[in-house]
Amino acid sequence: MKGEVIGINSMKFSAVGIENMGFSIPTETVQYIVKHLLKYGEVKRAGLGLELEESWSAIVGLPSDDPLTVTKVLSAQAQKAGIQEDDVLYAINGKRVYSVVDINEMLKAYMPGAKVNVLMQSGGDIVNRRLTLSKGVGMPASADIPVAAGEGEE
């Protein structure tokens, strides 16, 4: 309504008998990608090195207070931090996370190699672990797609 760009079209779906549907990338994500491409020549995304499972309500986009469950430990850094399958993730650096989207947005502020504190439940105990972020390990499959100039990610 203010005449501001809020997203950049990335894909349009249309077919006979189907209403057209468009998808766009939020401008914040585009700015993040462009900044990285100009500075590093690539997008450097940090990852926890974990495969996580969200609650059903988070998957379908409903509000959820449920934590995320570790289904697989993907990086040596996560193994070194003592994180195991079936551990439950509550917070990163003191900020509660409820979905993979929350984590991805939060990790935009970090580079691979940065250290974060993760609050987890492991073996029935609530523990703080110090985790070194990996280079994009544990990101959704769409994050592994190379980004060409002028194209977006996510």
Side-chain angles (χ1 to χ4, degrees):
M1 291 176 67
K2 296 179 185 176
E4 298 173 353
V5 176
I6 59 168
I8 296 178
N9 291 339
S10 61
M11 184 178 6
K12 185 164 181 134
F13 177 75
S14 63
V16 176
I18 298 175
E19 267 191 61
N20 294 336
M21 190 175 1
F23 299 90
S24 63
I25 302 167
T27 54
E28 295 84 15
T29 302
V30 173
Q31 290 170 345
Y32 172 84
I33 291 169
V34 169
K35 179 180 160 188
H36 276 250
L37 289 174
L38 292 173
K39 189 170 184 178
Y40 307 110
E42 66 179 341
V43 179
K44 293 187 176 190
R45 295 198 65 149
L48 295 175
L50 304 171
E51 188 174 286
L52 299 164
E53 180 178 85
E54 301 175 297
S55 67
W56 179 85
S57 53
I59 290 170
V60 297
L62 296 173
S64 172
D65 290 339
D66 297 332
L68 294 101
T69 303
V70 176
T71 56
K72 191 171 185 181
V73 179
L74 302 172
S75 73
Q77 294 93 329
Q79 288 175 344
K80 187 177 176 181
I83 300 172
Q84 302 172 359
E85 287 182 20
D86 297 323
D87 284 357
V88 178
L89 175 64
Y90 288 99
I92 301 170
N93 278 347
K95 184 170 184 205
R96 186 72 199 268
V97 290
Y98 301 100
S99 70
V100 173
V101 171
D102 289 346
I103 293 170
N104 290 340
E105 288 302 311
M106 181 182 291
L107 292 181
K108 284 182 182 179
Y110 300 94
M111 296 292 283
K115 294 183 186 298
V116 295
N117 292 313
V118 290
L119 179 65
M120 308 192 80
Q121 181 178 357
S122 181
D125 297 323
I126 300 296
V127 295
N128 272 303
R129 304 248 192 246
R130 187 87 170 141
L131 175 63
T132 302
L133 298 175
S134 306
K135 183 177 182 182
V137 177
M139 300 300 292
S142 63
D144 296 331
I145 299 168
V147 180
E151 292 184 7
E153 174 178 271
E154 286 190 11

